[in-house]
């Protein structure tokens, strides 16, 4: 079947299975942490601060992670990060199980997760291309990878909503800890040989400069990374405020919050399925523009929603746009980057997405504290529309320059 063609590869099938189980636990923990922090503090700013702690390391460490992945065995790096993340989840589960509700330690554990994830995501993204044998199946493998993530985003919060209401946050954290067993078992069963690039005799700073020069010489790639960074700073932080919409704006509880996350997961899953059906020759730039507009308009619609049902609808369409935007940018970068530069290129993509996002979350959290959540989220939607207009104008300018050079 065209949609699942990458699953014919043994190693990718194992990767897909392990991630399907583990990411459900990851999303359960994300929902539980967001709800726990907001329940304990009632502060959108603290909520943004915890998000900042979990994602900010990607801004600083992602380029270094890319160099490490290009230098060493990415499969072993991925194995190592999964073990550390499992221990982090176990520590958080134990702390909450003992009723030690300390925001400082939750922040520290979130920071540890961010530090490890900056390496984990780079290794994971770069590893996908080694799990399928045919290059034309790479876009499908990337899209299926996104569908796993967003399918878990649909299922995980739904389960978390029931568990949070019935048993509390600690069970969610424990399930996430146990879910890593599936990943480790699947990694053990893989039969994979990774060709490690010849190690550079230069230091890691040379690798960083080389990666930056590569991006500078590739405007199509660098413009997409800048688009991702702008969106992460000014638009995507709306996701941080979903607990605020659930609890304060629509007068709900933990179950209401899980509805928002599950609707987001459903929209993103639909987007992932659409992306998985695409072939590698499709015009991904056009998809990026359309999906970015869907995201921005949905964020604006969420802020202006008169009822919970309308808010849930815009949460779904916003996640669809966000998923299609990220997946299409990811696919373009993976398929248009030299193999020896892929780790560094993807590290800049991760830095633009996960590294810039916490700065945006912290900044928007502060503004929400001053001016109100609804106004700030509405302005995020407007900012997204302006960003895309600027991107379209830039692309047109580039095309005119290219045509002028051909004429001369």
């Amino acid at each position: 079947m065209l949609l699942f063609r990458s699953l014919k590869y043994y190693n990718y099938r194992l990767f897909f299975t392990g991630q399907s189980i583990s990411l459900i636990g990851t999303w359960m923990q994300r929902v539980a942490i967001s709800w726990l922090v907001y329940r304990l503090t009632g502060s959108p700013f603290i909520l943004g601060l915890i998000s900042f702690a979990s994602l900010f390391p990607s801004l600083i460490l992602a380029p270094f992670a890319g160099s490490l992945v290009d230098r060493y065995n990415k499969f072993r790096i991925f194995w190592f990060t999964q073990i550390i993340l499992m221990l982090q989840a176990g520590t958080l589960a134990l702390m909450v199980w003992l009723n030690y509700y300390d925001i400082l330690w939750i922040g520290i554990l979130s920071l540890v997760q961010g530090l490890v994830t900056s390496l984990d995501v780079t290794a994971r993204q770069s590893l996908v291309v080694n799990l399928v044998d045919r290059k034309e199946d790479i876009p499908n493998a990337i899209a299926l990878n996104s569908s796993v993530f967003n399918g878990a985003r649909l299922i995980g919060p739904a389960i978390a909503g029931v568990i949070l209401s019935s048993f509390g946050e600690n069970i969610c954290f424990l399930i996430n800890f146990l879910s890593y067993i599936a990943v480790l078992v699947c990694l053990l069963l893989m039969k994979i040989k990774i060709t490690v690039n010849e190690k550079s005799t230069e230091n890691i700073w040379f690798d960083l400069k080389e990666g930056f020069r590569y991006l500078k010489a590739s405007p199509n790639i660098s413009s997409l990374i800048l688009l991702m960074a702008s969106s992460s700073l000014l638009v995507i932080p709306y996701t941080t405020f979903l607990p605020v919409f659930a609890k304060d704006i629509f007068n709900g509880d933990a179950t209401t919050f899980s509805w928002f996350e599950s609707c987001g997961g459903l929209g993103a899953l639909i987007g992932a399925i659409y992306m998985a059906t695409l072939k590698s020759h499709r015009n991904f730039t056009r998809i990026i523009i359309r999906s970015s507009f869907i995201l921005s308009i949905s964020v604006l619609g969420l802020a202006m929603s008169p009822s919970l049902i309308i808010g849930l609808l815009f949460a779904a369409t916003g996640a669809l746009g966000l998923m299609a935007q990220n997946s299409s940018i990811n696919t373009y970068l993976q398929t248009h980057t030299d193999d020896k530069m892929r780790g560094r290129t993807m590290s800049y993509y991760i830095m633009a997405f996960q590294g810039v996002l916490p700065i945006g979350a912290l900044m928007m959290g502060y503004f929400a504290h001053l001016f109100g959540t609804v106004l700030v989220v509405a302005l995020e939607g407007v900012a997204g529309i302006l960003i895309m207009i600027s991107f379209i104008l830039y692309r047109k300018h580039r095309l005119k320059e290219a045509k002028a050079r051909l004429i001369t």
Side-chain angles (χ1 to χ4, degrees), residues 25-221:
T26 299
W27 272 106
M28 291 178 67
Q29 176 168 302
R30 286 189 181 189
V31 171
I33 284 182
S34 294
W35 185 256
L36 175 63
V37 170
Y38 193 65
R39 179 174 65 82
L40 293 176
T41 66
S43 170
F45 177 69
I46 298 297
L47 201 59
L49 188 62
I50 294 298
S51 177
F52 177 84
S54 66
L55 295 173
F56 179 71
S58 294
L59 179 63
I60 306 299
L61 299 180
F64 295 94
S67 295
L68 289 173
V69 168
D70 283 337
R71 284 176 176 236
Y72 300 101
N73 190 311
K74 64 190 74 174
F75 180 76
R76 291 179 182 175
I77 292 174
F78 182 59
W79 174 272
F80 170 76
T81 58
Q82 294 302 293
I83 293 175
I84 300 300
L85 288 172
M86 182 180 185
L87 294 175
Q88 183 269 349
T91 303
L92 183 59
L94 180 63
M95 186 185 79
V96 179
W97 190 274
L98 296 174
N99 293 320
Y100 188 68
Y101 295 110
D102 189 292
I103 295 297
L104 176 62
W105 277 104
I106 292 175
I108 291 173
L109 287 172
S110 296
L111 180 62
V112 170
Q113 182 186 31
L115 290 170
V116 180
T117 299
S118 63
L119 182 59
D120 170 76
V121 176
T122 305
R124 185 200 308 259
Q125 296 280 0
S126 300
L127 183 63
V128 171
V129 298
N130 299 107
L131 302 177
V132 296
D133 297 334
R134 300 174 62 185
K135 184 177 180 180
E136 56 264 34
D137 289 330
I138 291 176
N140 177 255
I142 295 171
L144 281 182
N145 206 34
S146 297
S147 71
V148 170
F149 180 84
N150 292 295
R153 185 182 175 185
L154 172 63
I155 298 170
I159 298 174
V162 175
I163 292 177
L164 284 171
S165 300
S166 304
F167 305 104
E169 297 90 354
N170 51 353
I171 301 298
C172 293
F173 299 142
L174 179 61
I175 291 174
N176 184 43
F177 168 74
L178 296 175
S179 71
Y180 280 100
I181 295 174
V183 179
L184 297 178
V185 170
C186 288
L187 290 177
L188 280 173
L189 294 174
M190 281 187 183
K191 300 173 183 178
I192 185 171
K193 292 183 179 180
I194 299 293
T195 301
V196 181
N197 295 323
E198 185 178 348
K199 294 182 182 179
S200 174
T201 56
E202 305 287 347
N203 60 39
I204 199 167
W205 291 105
F206 177 84
D207 285 350
L208 293 177
K209 293 177 182 177
E210 188 180 27
F212 183 77
R213 283 196 295 267
Y214 179 78
L215 291 182
K216 190 175 180 180
S218 309
N220 288 335
I221 292 176

Side-chain angles (χ1 to χ4, degrees), residues 327-344:
S327 182
S328 49
I329 291 176
N330 188 332
T331 302
Y332 185 95
L333 296 180
Q334 294 255 30
T335 54
H336 289 77
T337 303
D338 292 340
D339 187 62
K340 67 177 182 178
M341 300 298 297
R342 184 172 289 111
R344 274 163 284 187

Side-chain angles (χ1 to χ4, degrees), residues 234-239 241 245 249 293 295-305 314 364 367-368 371-387:
L234 299 174
V235 186
I236 302 176
Y238 85 94
T239 57
F241 302 119
F245 276 90
I249 296 174
F293 273 118
L295 168 62
S296 302
I297 293 170
S298 297
V299 172
L300 182 59
L302 174 63
M304 301 174 65
S305 296
F314 279 120
M364 295 304 171
F367 288 151
F371 306 112
T373 300
V374 172
L375 176 60
V376 169
V377 172
L379 291 175
E380 288 183 69
V382 173
I385 294 171
L386 295 176
I387 289 168

Side-chain angles (χ1 to χ4, degrees), residues 275-294:
M275 294 299 299
T277 62
L278 299 180
K279 296 181 179 180
S280 58
H281 63 266
R282 285 297 297 269
N283 188 334
F284 284 100
T285 302
R286 187 176 300 168
I287 297 172
I288 291 166
I289 293 172
R290 291 174 180 174
S291 60
S292 298
F293 273 118
I294 291 173

